[in-house]
Amino acid sequence: MRVLVTGGTGLVGSHVTRELIARGATVTVLTRDAAKAASLPPGVSAVTGNLTEAATVRSIFKGMDAVFLLNAVSPMESHEGLMSVTAMREVGVPRVVYLSVQNADGAAWLPHFGAKVGIETAIRRSGIPHTILRPNNFYQNDYWARDALLKFGVYPQPIGSAGLSRVDVRDIGEAAALALTTRDHAGETYDLAGPDVITGESAAQLWSQALKRGVVYGGDDLDRWEQQSLQYMPPWMAFDFKAMYAFFQAEGLKATPEAIERQTALIGHAPRPFGAFVAETAAAWLK
């Protein structure tokens, strides 16, 4: 089975690629950066291209049995997704699995949520057999907090106290690979989440226990967070994520028991808990 993975050198796509290889698929990865192809597992093909370019979308999907479509957060996210859906429809791609976000339509004013709402709609109306995955906030986003945790004892992600059912990207990789390689999930939409409701304070407490040092939550001040974030992310992204965190603080992003049950049936095991991820990651950092 020939599968194209867009974003296959990134955090989620790399896990999808590994899970597909484990299931015997022949994988091609689309990347913007040819240098990143060196990190791909043996046997994986790489093609350099950009989903905003007509030449790329007119060629990349041909001959594929399935596509994992991941459009990175960017000002061009919606355009990339719609270009891809149009091109896949024209060449008759037999199956697509799209990575969206949990409750995308419930917060469609957020730029990277709203972009996904439009792409979801395009996929559903395209006639392409599809599965839509809607993950929560990733556990692995905390990799970005390594210096803050280890050097300053601060958990900086301003997720608030309403609570998120965060998810391990390894569970996303498994769910995507299963949806791509089996025919049981056409037309389905799955929320992907973890078993625990995580707050800023509980995340800090778990990191404190795992790192064996005091860790405090950095707090809910989003103006301060935005100013600090501008040191390492572009203004459009800081604007988008600040609004997302405001939504998280006000509403949370929790999974229903039914969603957890469906996810467990899909991947064949209970979702990985956040505490286990933290313990595993802390042990690796402290080696």
Side-chain angles (χ1 to χ4, degrees):
M1 182 179 190
R2 296 162 296 180
V3 183
L4 174 70
V5 177
T6 69
T9 57
L11 178 61
V12 175
S14 61
H15 284 282
V16 175
T17 296
R18 284 193 284 272
E19 292 293 336
L20 286 168
I21 292 169
R23 289 164 175 79
T26 300
V27 181
T28 298
V29 163
L30 175 67
T31 179
R32 290 188 180 93
D33 185 354
K36 292 183 177 179
S39 65
L40 292 171
V44 176
S45 301
V47 176
T48 304
N50 192 317
L51 293 176
T52 63
E53 296 174 353
T56 295
V57 297
R58 282 181 169 143
S59 62
I60 194 67
F61 302 115
K62 291 179 179 178
M64 294 297 165
D65 299 306
V67 173
F68 178 70
L69 182 61
L70 183 161
N71 301 114
V73 175
S74 81
M76 298 297 291
E77 181 176 357
S78 180
H79 191 64
E80 284 188 9
L82 296 178
M83 290 270 287
S84 299
V85 174
T86 298
M88 285 190 286
R89 187 174 183 272
E90 288 180 354
V91 301
V93 166
R95 188 180 313 174
V96 61
V97 173
Y98 174 59
L99 191 77
S100 184
V101 64
Q102 185 180 330
N103 200 25
D105 44 351
W109 64 87
L110 301 174
H112 74 285
F113 277 45
K116 293 174 176 64
V117 173
I119 298 167
E120 284 189 12
T121 300
I123 289 171
R124 291 190 178 103
R125 295 185 180 179
S126 69
I128 304 169
H130 62 270
T131 304
I132 294 172
L133 304 180
R134 286 181 147 198
N136 205 287
N137 181 273
F138 306 156
Y139 296 167
Q140 284 77 1
N141 287 346
D142 285 2
Y143 290 158
W144 302 336
R146 177 174 177 164
D147 285 348
L149 289 163
L150 294 179
K151 294 180 180 179
F152 306 107
V154 174
Y155 181 75
Q157 190 175 192
I159 58 178
S161 59
L164 312 179
S165 300
R166 302 180 65 190
V167 64
D168 196 304
V169 295
R170 290 170 291 190
D171 289 347
I172 301 173
E174 290 181 47
L178 286 162
L180 287 160
T181 57
T182 62
R183 297 184 180 277
D184 303 331
H185 310 288
E188 298 290 345
T189 297
Y190 293 95
D191 286 348
L192 300 179
D196 312 305
V197 176
I198 305 300
T199 66
E201 293 288 353
S202 68
Q205 183 178 14
L206 286 166
W207 279 110
S208 181
Q209 293 168 357
L211 293 171
K212 298 180 174 59
R213 64 160 296 169
V215 174
V216 298
Y217 174 48
D220 295 346
D221 187 334
L222 293 176
D223 290 334
R224 184 177 66 178
W225 176 87
E226 182 179 23
Q227 288 305 309
Q228 293 172 339
S229 298
L230 288 171
Q231 299 175 36
Y232 56 87
M233 67 173 61
W236 63 263
M237 182 178 286
F239 175 90
D240 189 351
F241 286 5
K242 178 185 178 183
M244 176 191 70
Y245 286 127
F247 171 67
F248 287 169
Q249 290 180 12
E251 304 290 339
L253 193 64
K254 301 175 188 175
T256 65
E258 293 78 14
I260 295 291
E261 183 178 346
R262 294 186 76 231
Q263 175 181 335
T264 299
L266 171 61
I267 64 178
H269 61 80
R272 292 174 171 89
F274 181 63
F277 161 79
V278 169
E280 171 190 350
T281 303
W285 287 353
L286 295 175
K287 280 184 179 178

